[in-house]
Amino acid sequence: MRRDYIDIGYSPKDTDLICEFHIEPSAGVNFEEAATHMAGESSIDSWTEIATLSPELAEKLKPHVFYANEKAQTVRVAYSEDLFELGSVPQVLSAVAGNILSMKVVDNLRLQDIAFSSSMLREFKGPNFGLQGIRKFVGVQDRPLIGTIVKPKVGLNSEKHAEVAYNSFAGGCDLVKDDENLTDQKFNGFEKRAELTLKLAEKAESETGERKMYLCNVTAPTCKEMIRRMNVLKDLGASYAMVDIVPAGWTAIQTLREEAENAGLALHAHRCMHSAYTRNPRHGISMLVVAKLCRLVGLDQLHIGTVVGKMHGEKHEVLNLRDQCVLDKVPADESQHVLDQDWGGLKPMFPVASGGLAPTMIPDLYSIFGKDVIMQFGGGIHAHPMGTAAGATACRQALEASLEGVSLQDYSKDHKELEVALGKWLKK
């Protein structure tokens, strides 16, 4: 193992890939030694001296640990872009978040952020539609979108699933999606569900005069089948497909992104399973990295958390994810382990707040996120005492009140659905 990777005087090149890590050395291993092994293992080196690593090659490709703060347990590493297949998320992750997470010289190691160079950004298309494209689909420019997930997650047959979606649309939802574990089960086959639900979405459009979008889950055992399902949606006139990004894997997601462009479909990214490696603040990969990879690859909208709902995620973390979704340039924030990122013109993603939301939370959601968010409800719509349609209407009413700066209590005096929702969910 070479010992010259600690290079505090190094000034990263514009073409370097920059990574920030949280690092905790094992007992008996000093901080610089742990950082050296991590940098070497993620690039050109091995656990012992290797004769095949010439000085010339090492000088050209060696990583540079240009920042090391032992007290904060933080290091930043600059990697030459020549180490990477620039358009391959799997290859990049295999390097900077691969074997290094298993090294004995560290008790904990977490990839906090990656700053992508302009040369790497050029290898990716980013979102095909993104935030503004989705707004154009739906025909709504000046407010958050309201969405729901058909509940229960699984168990409904295709006809009942489509009925629940219709009631959601009729009550005021802009978007209705499948849940993450509904794909092509025997009680609710993919093709029948898609056909019936899209037909009732059209019916709701004609009745309400609003555009209605159904996000059908195309997650499948193989890329070939996933693409086939997406083309089924295209032939049925859909505008959207949904995919479970972590279980499907980055190769599948990059493949689907290419095929979705050919099909003219937007992609909704469900992040289920991400907490397997993002939730531990000391080890794994941050959700910030996942969000940035989603924008890089080109997904159009992404779950980021809610702050006020049931899912894990502190406010600062969720807002950092929001920023990576929507901003053209994200400034560095050392306290939050966020690196400077210029997105180089890649379109913004539409952030989705989802998980344990009720209509009573809409004022807080609007205060936190502003208008550029999809507020997505499950039980907060379908558990409404007057039924699904009324639950969707209550959400629209709560949003109208928030946009007008009126309290929910005052607005509910003339809006029965909201009044009933407040009775069920408002804390006494």
Side-chain angles (χ1 to χ4, degrees):
M1 176 65 68
R2 292 169 59 91
R3 302 295 173 184
D4 60 347
Y5 300 146
I6 306 296
D7 192 1
I8 303 303
Y10 179 77
S11 180
K13 300 176 183 176
D14 291 342
T15 55
D16 285 345
L17 185 80
I18 309 299
C19 292
E20 179 170 310
F21 296 92
H22 170 86
I23 185 168
E24 298 177 21
S26 300
V29 179
N30 68 48
F31 189 76
E32 287 196 358
E33 181 181 2
T36 295
H37 277 270
M38 182 272 294
E41 181 67 33
S42 59
S43 56
I44 61 173
D45 221 327
S46 184
W47 62 274
T48 188
E49 300 296 334
I50 48 177
T52 49
L53 180 58
S54 68
E56 294 79 16
L57 185 62
E59 186 60 31
K60 178 183 178 183
L61 295 180
K62 72 178 184 181
H64 302 267
V65 180
F66 67 94
Y67 175 89
N69 186 328
E70 184 172 1
K71 183 177 180 180
Q73 298 180 305
T74 299
V75 299
R76 297 185 193 126
V77 186
Y79 297 94
S80 166
E81 68 172 21
D82 291 343
L83 291 165
F84 305 105
E85 181 179 355
L86 296 184
S88 173
V89 168
Q91 189 276 331
V92 172
L93 288 178
S94 294
V96 302
N99 280 348
I100 58 173
L101 296 176
S102 301
M103 296 188 307
K104 288 183 177 179
V105 295
V106 295
D107 282 339
N108 287 292
L109 180 67
R110 189 176 200 242
L111 176 59
Q112 302 278 38
D113 197 4
I114 304 176
F116 301 104
S117 66
S118 58
S119 53
M120 180 169 282
L121 289 174
R122 286 195 293 270
E123 296 296 320
F124 293 88
K125 295 180 179 179
N128 187 25
F129 297 98
L131 193 156
Q132 291 305 324
I134 299 304
R135 286 199 174 282
K136 188 174 181 180
F137 270 155
V138 183
V140 175
Q141 296 296 329
D142 57 354
R143 64 167 172 84
L145 302 184
I146 298 293
T148 193
I149 313 101
V150 173
K151 297 291 183 179
K153 287 172 174 273
V154 291
L156 300 179
N157 62 30
S158 300
E159 291 82 2
K160 185 63 177 178
H161 181 281
E163 179 187 337
V164 173
Y166 168 76
N167 289 332
S168 304
F169 286 135
C173 284
D174 304 295
L175 311 174
V176 174
K177 62 176 282 295
D178 294 343
D179 223 328
E180 74 280 356
N181 52 344
L182 180 63
T183 54
D184 189 35
Q185 286 93 321
K186 62 183 180 180
F187 53 80
N188 193 353
F190 173 84
E191 293 184 34
K192 185 176 182 181
R193 176 174 80 252
E195 180 180 3
L196 294 177
T197 306
L198 286 166
K199 281 183 178 179
L200 288 185
E202 287 186 16
K203 182 174 185 287
E205 285 185 343
S206 66
E207 292 171 348
T208 65
E210 298 178 343
R211 293 298 309 277
K212 304 296 181 180
M213 298 291 147
Y214 171 48
L215 289 56
C216 194
N217 189 4
V218 300
T219 305
T222 65
C223 289
K224 181 179 179 180
E225 175 61 14
M226 197 158 56
I227 293 166
R228 188 195 73 81
R229 292 180 189 180
M230 185 172 61
N231 284 322
V232 168
L233 296 181
K234 173 189 174 183
D235 292 343
L236 289 171
S239 299
Y240 261 100
M242 166 190 157
V243 62
D244 299 332
I245 56 172
V246 177
W250 292 106
T251 295
I253 298 308
Q254 288 198 245
T255 302
L256 191 67
R257 165 63 179 87
E258 294 299 311
E259 295 297 327
E261 182 167 355
N262 295 333
L265 297 185
L267 289 174
H268 172 94
H270 196 299
R271 63 177 185 166
C272 63
M273 197 178 137
H274 76 94
S275 284
Y277 54 75
T278 66
R279 186 166 182 173
N280 186 340
R282 298 165 59 193
H283 188 80
I285 305 171
S286 72
M287 184 59 208
L288 184 72
V289 171
V290 176
K292 294 178 77 168
L293 292 174
C294 287
R295 185 170 180 180
L296 190 71
V297 168
L299 300 170
D300 294 292
Q301 59 193 53
L302 170 70
H303 292 209
I304 65 168
T306 63
V307 181
V308 297
K310 71 180 180 180
M311 295 300 185
H312 171 78
E314 299 295 329
K315 182 176 181 179
H316 64 81
E317 177 188 351
V318 176
L319 291 181
N320 286 337
L321 298 177
R322 187 274 312 273
D323 289 348
Q324 295 295 347
C325 287
V326 304
L327 297 182
D328 294 326
K329 296 181 180 180
V330 180
D333 185 343
E334 186 168 335
S335 68
Q336 298 300 319
H337 306 288
V338 175
L339 299 173
D340 180 79
Q341 181 68 63
D342 184 337
W343 280 102
L346 292 187
K347 292 177 183 176
M349 294 187 294
F350 216 141
V352 180
S354 180
L357 298 182
T360 50
M361 299 174 183
I362 286 180
D364 286 336
L365 291 170
Y366 185 60
S367 175
I368 293 167
F369 294 107
K371 73 172 185 176
D372 286 332
V373 67
I374 298 171
M375 300 178 183
Q376 189 168 270
F377 304 81
I381 281 179
H382 305 297
H384 192 285
M386 295 168 63
T388 288
T393 300
C395 286
R396 283 291 290 269
Q397 291 169 350
L399 180 58
E400 290 163 4
S402 298
L403 295 173
E404 295 176 18
V406 178
S407 74
L408 298 188
Q409 290 84 349
D410 286 345
Y411 205 76
S412 70
K413 294 174 183 178
D414 299 314
H415 297 87
K416 180 66 176 178
E417 294 85 357
L418 180 57
E419 180 185 25
V420 171
L422 296 185
K424 179 174 180 63
W425 284 296
L426 194 63
K427 293 180 180 180
K428 303 299 183 182

